[in-house]
Amino acid sequence: MIQQEEVYKIGRLGKAHGIKGEVSFQFDDDIFDRIDADYLILEIDGILVPFFIEEYRFRNDSLCLVKFCDINTQQRASELTGCTVFFPRKLADEDHDTMSLGSLVGFSLINSADGKTIGRITSIDEQTANILFVLEDDTLIPANSDLVKDIKIAEKQIFMDIPEGLLDI
């Protein structure tokens, strides 16, 4: 059984498209296109279920149409509407160059100056020009690559130079 800590959210399925089983996929992260992945994981009734990809085609920068294996009718595709889509961390972790911000959710953020844990990343806020890590206590930390000193994937840790006074705000 797939566990929640083994995956991270990359989007949500929308409505069925056409009569052959395609479904629209609104994604926040195109990792499935950058890494050779045969499947995506859908949350169905609280259970994480792998669905193998037959094909997909992009409509724009955040939407594609996806055809899953064995989903061959509009009715079957409609049953997937609203499902949250996840990507397996083990595939994303294999290649540091293709890591996405979304894959960092769940990592501990550590101040490299003193080695203290600041908190755990619960989400990524990309709504503004400055992308932010959102921590458990709703603290916002700039996700600026210049501040990141090291990422230890196996330990799920990010070491950052936290600007002086930022945590006092």
Side-chain angles (χ1 to χ4, degrees):
M1 189 167 166
I2 301 169
Q3 302 298 316
Q4 191 70 40
E5 55 273 359
E6 297 173 6
V7 298
Y8 67 97
K9 180 183 172 195
I10 62 168
R12 181 172 295 280
L13 294 182
K15 296 180 181 180
H17 181 80
I19 60 171
K20 304 223 184 211
E22 281 186 315
V23 63
S24 63
F25 172 30
Q26 184 77 39
F27 57 89
D28 304 321
D29 188 332
D30 68 348
I31 188 93
F32 64 95
D33 186 50
R34 292 182 283 124
I35 290 182
D36 189 24
D38 296 330
Y39 64 96
L40 295 174
I41 298 167
L42 306 183
E43 183 175 24
I44 300 177
D45 297 329
I47 299 171
L48 297 172
V49 181
F51 278 76
F52 286 86
I53 302 168
E54 189 172 305
E55 63 183 13
Y56 62 90
R57 56 193 165 108
F58 289 96
R59 300 292 279 197
N60 60 40
D61 289 345
S62 63
L63 181 74
C64 73
L65 299 177
V66 123
K67 168 81 173 72
F68 292 110
C69 295
D70 300 323
I71 305 293
N72 298 315
T73 65
Q74 182 178 16
Q75 180 180 351
R76 290 284 316 271
S78 293
E79 293 170 5
L80 301 176
T81 297
C83 286
T84 303
V85 181
F86 295 90
F87 194 79
R89 285 187 187 276
K90 67 179 180 181
L91 294 179
D93 291 349
E94 290 173 359
D95 187 354
H96 300 310
D97 295 334
T98 58
M99 279 188 73
S100 64
L101 284 171
S103 68
L104 300 177
V105 170
F107 277 53
S108 293
L109 191 64
I110 299 169
N111 189 345
S112 61
D114 59 14
K116 291 184 180 177
T117 300
I118 307 303
R120 192 176 62 82
I121 299 170
T122 57
S123 65
I124 308 294
D125 182 349
E126 298 184 67
Q127 302 302 315
T128 63
N130 296 317
I131 298 171
L132 303 167
F133 292 130
V134 181
L135 304 183
E136 294 167 305
D137 63 357
D138 293 325
T139 300
L140 302 174
I141 303 291
N144 186 313
S145 61
D146 293 338
L147 300 177
V148 175
K149 295 305 167 198
D150 191 19
I151 298 176
K152 294 186 178 181
I153 295 172
E155 294 86 359
K156 296 179 98 177
Q157 297 175 327
I158 300 173
F159 292 83
M160 291 185 73
D161 282 340
I162 305 296
E164 191 173 322
L166 181 67
L167 298 175
D168 300 330
I169 298 175

